[in-house]
């Protein structure tokens, strides 16, 4: 499929890339027009791609691109390498299938990217499935291992357990020998999470997840919380956090405001509050993360048997239906990832 992501370095190049149509509606989701974009430079590769996730928070200006990144939406993509910069080291060749983590531009027709952020597509997976891996799975891997220091036997509470990051985190926690628990807003989402390996799931709309978590852990609480909700969940998070537990905050879907004695409650638990965003990390860090994930995790997508890892793909939309894709995601209906597909 034809698609490109903007690179961090660039100069004029004849490849077309989508940009907002001059007659697009105010929400920025009109059918894309085409304009010129950059040629791969130094150790960059350029490739057409499919993109995972329409990114409503990016569209609404709540997740601004880092300096130098494309303003086009999209943080991940898959496709075939179309061109190589002169500094590439020879691992990749034109025509190779690949998937990539991006700082932006994933919903363009082509992307340029440093070769250190490319990953091979695991055997047995389609390009569409691969497009659902990079941002969600690298985020989950980072939260659990690099920040959360997950250990075998840990209990892990994963909010938004049926999201792209959540479905990845469940499988990675199981792989690490931990016990994943999840929250979600419907019985269907909880059932999907449990099929992926969650030991228990709690509907935050119908019950107090902190009480349910404490009951499951026999009063001990969880060792690790992955939290993309923030403000509205803070008190319940602290309540069900174990002594010396780690609470990793990576999103604010429930707001940024805190009303109450957060610090005293956290201090009483000797809790560790860790915050993180992946998009704004520098290239060196992302390349380290991609290398570790490629070596430690990626082979498990091709392993036969019950321990095989799988991206959860909810729906695929053609780019001409991007408005419908955003509406579907904003209605919080998806389980796993939504992928956009561009024409060849």
């Amino acid at each position: 499929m034809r698609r490109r992501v903007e690179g961090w370095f660039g100069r004029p190049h004849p490849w077309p890339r989508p940009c907002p149509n001059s007659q697009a509606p105010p929400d920025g989701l009109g059918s894309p027009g085409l304009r010129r974009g950059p040629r791969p430079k130094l150790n960059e590769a350029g490739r057409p791609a499919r993109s995972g996730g329409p990114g409503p928070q990016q569209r609404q200006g709540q997740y601004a691109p880092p300096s130098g990144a494309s303003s086009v939406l999209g943080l991940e993509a898959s496709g075939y390498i179309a061109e190589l910069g002169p500094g590439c080291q020879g691992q990749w060749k034109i025509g190779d299938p690949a998937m990539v983590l991006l700082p932006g531009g994933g919903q363009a027709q082509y992307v340029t990217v440093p070769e250190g952020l490319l990953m091979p597509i695991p055997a047995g997976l389609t390009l569409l499935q691969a497009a659902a891996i990079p941002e969600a799975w690298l985020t989950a891997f980072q939260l659990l291992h690099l920040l959360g220091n997950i250990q075998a036997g840990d209990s892990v509470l994963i909010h938004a357990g049926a999201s792209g990051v959540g479905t990845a985190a469940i499988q990675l926690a199981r792989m690490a020998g931990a016990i994943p628990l999840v929250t979600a807003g419907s019985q269907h989402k909880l059932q999907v999470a449990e099929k992926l390996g969650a030991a228990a799931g709690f509907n935050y709309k119908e019950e107090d997840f902190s009480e349910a978590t404490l009951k499951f852990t026999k009063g001990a609480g969880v060792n690790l919380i992955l939290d993309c909700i923030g403000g509205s969940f803070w008190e319940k998070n602290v309540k069900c956090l174990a002594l010396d537990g780690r609470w990793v905050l990576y999103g604010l879907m429930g707001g940024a405001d805190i009303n109450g004695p957060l610090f005293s409650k956290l201090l009483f638990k000797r809790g560790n509050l860790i915050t993180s965003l992946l998009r704004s990390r520098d290239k060196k860090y992302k390349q380290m993360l991609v290398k570790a994930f490629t070596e430690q995790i990626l082979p498990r997508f091709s392993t036969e048997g019950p321990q095989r890892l799988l991206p959860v793909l909810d729906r695929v939309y053609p780019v001409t239906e991007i408005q419908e894709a955003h509406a579907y995601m904003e209605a919080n209906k998806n389980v796993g990832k939504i992928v956009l597909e561009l024409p060849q």
Side-chain angles (χ1 to χ4, degrees), residues 48-59:
R50 296 167 172 84
S51 175
Q57 288 182 308
Q58 296 173 62
R59 176 174 61 83

mmCIF file with all atom_site columns, all heavy atoms in Angstrom, residues 48-59:
data_model
loop_
_atom_site.group_PDB
_atom_site.id
_atom_site.type_symbol
_atom_site.label_atom_id
_atom_site.label_alt_id
_atom_site.label_comp_id
_atom_site.label_asym_id
_atom_site.label_entity_id
_atom_site.label_seq_id
_atom_site.pdbx_PDB_ins_code
_atom_site.Cartn_x
_atom_site.Cartn_y
_atom_site.Cartn_z
_atom_site.occupancy
_atom_site.B_iso_or_equiv
_atom_site.pdbx_formal_charge
_atom_site.auth_seq_id
_atom_site.auth_comp_id
_atom_site.auth_asym_id
_atom_site.auth_atom_id
_atom_site.pdbx_PDB_model_num
ATOM 1  N N   . PRO A 1 48 ? 6.469   3.349  1.668  1.00 0.00 ? 48 PRO A N   1
ATOM 2  C CA  . PRO A 1 48 ? 5.029   3.464  1.733  1.00 0.00 ? 48 PRO A CA  1
ATOM 3  C C   . PRO A 1 48 ? 4.497   2.641  2.891  1.00 0.00 ? 48 PRO A C   1
ATOM 4  O O   . PRO A 1 48 ? 5.144   1.687  3.313  1.00 0.00 ? 48 PRO A O   1
ATOM 5  C CB  . PRO A 1 48 ? 4.556   2.896  0.387  1.00 0.00 ? 48 PRO A CB  1
ATOM 6  C CG  . PRO A 1 48 ? 5.660   2.023  -0.065 1.00 0.00 ? 48 PRO A CG  1
ATOM 7  C CD  . PRO A 1 48 ? 6.936   2.576  0.520  1.00 0.00 ? 48 PRO A CD  1
ATOM 8  N N   . ALA A 1 49 ? 3.328   3.001  3.409  1.00 0.00 ? 49 ALA A N   1
ATOM 9  C CA  . ALA A 1 49 ? 2.919   2.380  4.667  1.00 0.00 ? 49 ALA A CA  1
ATOM 10 C C   . ALA A 1 49 ? 1.427   2.329  4.898  1.00 0.00 ? 49 ALA A C   1
ATOM 11 O O   . ALA A 1 49 ? 0.655   3.024  4.269  1.00 0.00 ? 49 ALA A O   1
ATOM 12 C CB  . ALA A 1 49 ? 3.554   3.146  5.828  1.00 0.00 ? 49 ALA A CB  1
ATOM 13 N N   . ARG A 1 50 ? 1.031   1.447  5.845  1.00 0.00 ? 50 ARG A N   1
ATOM 14 C CA  . ARG A 1 50 ? -0.281  1.475  6.476  1.00 0.00 ? 50 ARG A CA  1
ATOM 15 C C   . ARG A 1 50 ? -0.081  2.038  7.872  1.00 0.00 ? 50 ARG A C   1
ATOM 16 O O   . ARG A 1 50 ? 0.984   1.898  8.443  1.00 0.00 ? 50 ARG A O   1
ATOM 17 C CB  . ARG A 1 50 ? -0.851  0.059  6.577  1.00 0.00 ? 50 ARG A CB  1
ATOM 18 C CG  . ARG A 1 50 ? -1.117  -0.592 5.216  1.00 0.00 ? 50 ARG A CG  1
ATOM 19 C CD  . ARG A 1 50 ? -1.372  -2.070 5.410  1.00 0.00 ? 50 ARG A CD  1
ATOM 20 N NE  . ARG A 1 50 ? -1.808  -2.712 4.196  1.00 0.00 ? 50 ARG A NE  1
ATOM 21 C CZ  . ARG A 1 50 ? -1.001  -3.156 3.243  1.00 0.00 ? 50 ARG A CZ  1
ATOM 22 N NH1 . ARG A 1 50 ? 0.294   -3.014 3.377  1.00 0.00 ? 50 ARG A NH1 1
ATOM 23 N NH2 . ARG A 1 50 ? -1.469  -3.742 2.169  1.00 0.00 ? 50 ARG A NH2 1
ATOM 24 N N   . SER A 1 51 ? -1.117  2.617  8.441  1.00 0.00 ? 51 SER A N   1
ATOM 25 C CA  . SER A 1 51 ? -0.957  3.274  9.731  1.00 0.00 ? 51 SER A CA  1
ATOM 26 C C   . SER A 1 51 ? -1.894  2.699  10.770 1.00 0.00 ? 51 SER A C   1
ATOM 27 O O   . SER A 1 51 ? -3.064  2.463  10.487 1.00 0.00 ? 51 SER A O   1
ATOM 28 C CB  . SER A 1 51 ? -1.229  4.773  9.599  1.00 0.00 ? 51 SER A CB  1
ATOM 29 O OG  . SER A 1 51 ? -1.183  5.397  10.867 1.00 0.00 ? 51 SER A OG  1
ATOM 30 N N   . GLY A 1 52 ? -1.367  2.478  11.986 1.00 0.00 ? 52 GLY A N   1
ATOM 31 C CA  . GLY A 1 52 ? -2.187  2.008  13.085 1.00 0.00 ? 52 GLY A CA  1
ATOM 32 C C   . GLY A 1 52 ? -2.760  3.170  13.858 1.00 0.00 ? 52 GLY A C   1
ATOM 33 O O   . GLY A 1 52 ? -2.029  4.034  14.310 1.00 0.00 ? 52 GLY A O   1
ATOM 34 N N   . GLY A 1 53 ? -4.072  3.216  14.010 1.00 0.00 ? 53 GLY A N   1
ATOM 35 C CA  . GLY A 1 53 ? -4.708  4.181  14.898 1.00 0.00 ? 53 GLY A CA  1
ATOM 36 C C   . GLY A 1 53 ? -4.867  5.570  14.318 1.00 0.00 ? 53 GLY A C   1
ATOM 37 O O   . GLY A 1 53 ? -3.915  6.172  13.865 1.00 0.00 ? 53 GLY A O   1
ATOM 38 N N   . PRO A 1 54 ? -6.093  6.102  14.308 1.00 0.00 ? 54 PRO A N   1
ATOM 39 C CA  . PRO A 1 54 ? -6.317  7.428  13.763 1.00 0.00 ? 54 PRO A CA  1
ATOM 40 C C   . PRO A 1 54 ? -5.887  8.569  14.663 1.00 0.00 ? 54 PRO A C   1
ATOM 41 O O   . PRO A 1 54 ? -5.714  9.679  14.201 1.00 0.00 ? 54 PRO A O   1
ATOM 42 C CB  . PRO A 1 54 ? -7.832  7.459  13.529 1.00 0.00 ? 54 PRO A CB  1
ATOM 43 C CG  . PRO A 1 54 ? -8.401  6.479  14.476 1.00 0.00 ? 54 PRO A CG  1
ATOM 44 C CD  . PRO A 1 54 ? -7.357  5.405  14.630 1.00 0.00 ? 54 PRO A CD  1
ATOM 45 N N   . GLY A 1 55 ? -5.735  8.385  15.973 1.00 0.00 ? 55 GLY A N   1
ATOM 46 C CA  . GLY A 1 55 ? -5.172  9.395  16.847 1.00 0.00 ? 55 GLY A CA  1
ATOM 47 C C   . GLY A 1 55 ? -6.014  10.627 17.089 1.00 0.00 ? 55 GLY A C   1
ATOM 48 O O   . GLY A 1 55 ? -5.605  11.734 16.729 1.00 0.00 ? 55 GLY A O   1
ATOM 49 N N   . PRO A 1 56 ? -7.210  10.499 17.696 1.00 0.00 ? 56 PRO A N   1
ATOM 50 C CA  . PRO A 1 56 ? -8.034  11.679 17.940 1.00 0.00 ? 56 PRO A CA  1
ATOM 51 C C   . PRO A 1 56 ? -7.385  12.698 18.858 1.00 0.00 ? 56 PRO A C   1
ATOM 52 O O   . PRO A 1 56 ? -7.594  13.904 18.693 1.00 0.00 ? 56 PRO A O   1
ATOM 53 C CB  . PRO A 1 56 ? -9.315  11.096 18.556 1.00 0.00 ? 56 PRO A CB  1
ATOM 54 C CG  . PRO A 1 56 ? -8.948  9.749  19.062 1.00 0.00 ? 56 PRO A CG  1
ATOM 55 C CD  . PRO A 1 56 ? -7.875  9.260  18.144 1.00 0.00 ? 56 PRO A CD  1
ATOM 56 N N   . GLN A 1 57 ? -6.577  12.260 19.834 1.00 0.00 ? 57 GLN A N   1
ATOM 57 C CA  . GLN A 1 57 ? -5.925  13.222 20.723 1.00 0.00 ? 57 GLN A CA  1
ATOM 58 C C   . GLN A 1 57 ? -4.937  14.095 19.950 1.00 0.00 ? 57 GLN A C   1
ATOM 59 O O   . GLN A 1 57 ? -4.797  15.289 20.233 1.00 0.00 ? 57 GLN A O   1
ATOM 60 C CB  . GLN A 1 57 ? -5.213  12.495 21.867 1.00 0.00 ? 57 GLN A CB  1
ATOM 61 C CG  . GLN A 1 57 ? -6.167  11.909 22.894 1.00 0.00 ? 57 GLN A CG  1
ATOM 62 C CD  . GLN A 1 57 ? -5.420  11.248 24.032 1.00 0.00 ? 57 GLN A CD  1
ATOM 63 O OE1 . GLN A 1 57 ? -4.553  10.411 23.826 1.00 0.00 ? 57 GLN A OE1 1
ATOM 64 N NE2 . GLN A 1 57 ? -5.747  11.633 25.240 1.00 0.00 ? 57 GLN A NE2 1
ATOM 65 N N   . GLN A 1 58 ? -4.251  13.504 18.970 1.00 0.00 ? 58 GLN A N   1
ATOM 66 C CA  . GLN A 1 58 ? -3.358  14.306 18.139 1.00 0.00 ? 58 GLN A CA  1
ATOM 67 C C   . GLN A 1 58 ? -4.160  15.327 17.340 1.00 0.00 ? 58 GLN A C   1
ATOM 68 O O   . GLN A 1 58 ? -3.779  16.492 17.243 1.00 0.00 ? 58 GLN A O   1
ATOM 69 C CB  . GLN A 1 58 ? -2.594  13.395 17.176 1.00 0.00 ? 58 GLN A CB  1
ATOM 70 C CG  . GLN A 1 58 ? -1.669  12.393 17.842 1.00 0.00 ? 58 GLN A CG  1
ATOM 71 C CD  . GLN A 1 58 ? -1.103  11.446 16.823 1.00 0.00 ? 58 GLN A CD  1
ATOM 72 O OE1 . GLN A 1 58 ? -0.397  11.850 15.899 1.00 0.00 ? 58 GLN A OE1 1
ATOM 73 N NE2 . GLN A 1 58 ? -1.411  10.169 16.951 1.00 0.00 ? 58 GLN A NE2 1
ATOM 74 N N   . ARG A 1 59 ? -5.270  14.894 16.753 1.00 0.00 ? 59 ARG A N   1
ATOM 75 C CA  . ARG A 1 59 ? -6.089  15.788 15.943 1.00 0.00 ? 59 ARG A CA  1
ATOM 76 C C   . ARG A 1 59 ? -6.628  16.951 16.764 1.00 0.00 ? 59 ARG A C   1
ATOM 77 O O   . ARG A 1 59 ? -6.733  18.077 16.283 1.00 0.00 ? 59 ARG A O   1
ATOM 78 C CB  . ARG A 1 59 ? -7.255  15.005 15.319 1.00 0.00 ? 59 ARG A CB  1
ATOM 79 C CG  . ARG A 1 59 ? -8.232  15.887 14.538 1.00 0.00 ? 59 ARG A CG  1
ATOM 80 C CD  . ARG A 1 59 ? -9.281  15.057 13.832 1.00 0.00 ? 59 ARG A CD  1
ATOM 81 N NE  . ARG A 1 59 ? -10.086 14.283 14.756 1.00 0.00 ? 59 ARG A NE  1
ATOM 82 C CZ  . ARG A 1 59 ? -11.140 14.758 15.407 1.00 0.00 ? 59 ARG A CZ  1
ATOM 83 N NH1 . ARG A 1 59 ? -11.479 16.022 15.281 1.00 0.00 ? 59 ARG A NH1 1
ATOM 84 N NH2 . ARG A 1 59 ? -11.833 13.979 16.205 1.00 0.00 ? 59 ARG A NH2 1
#
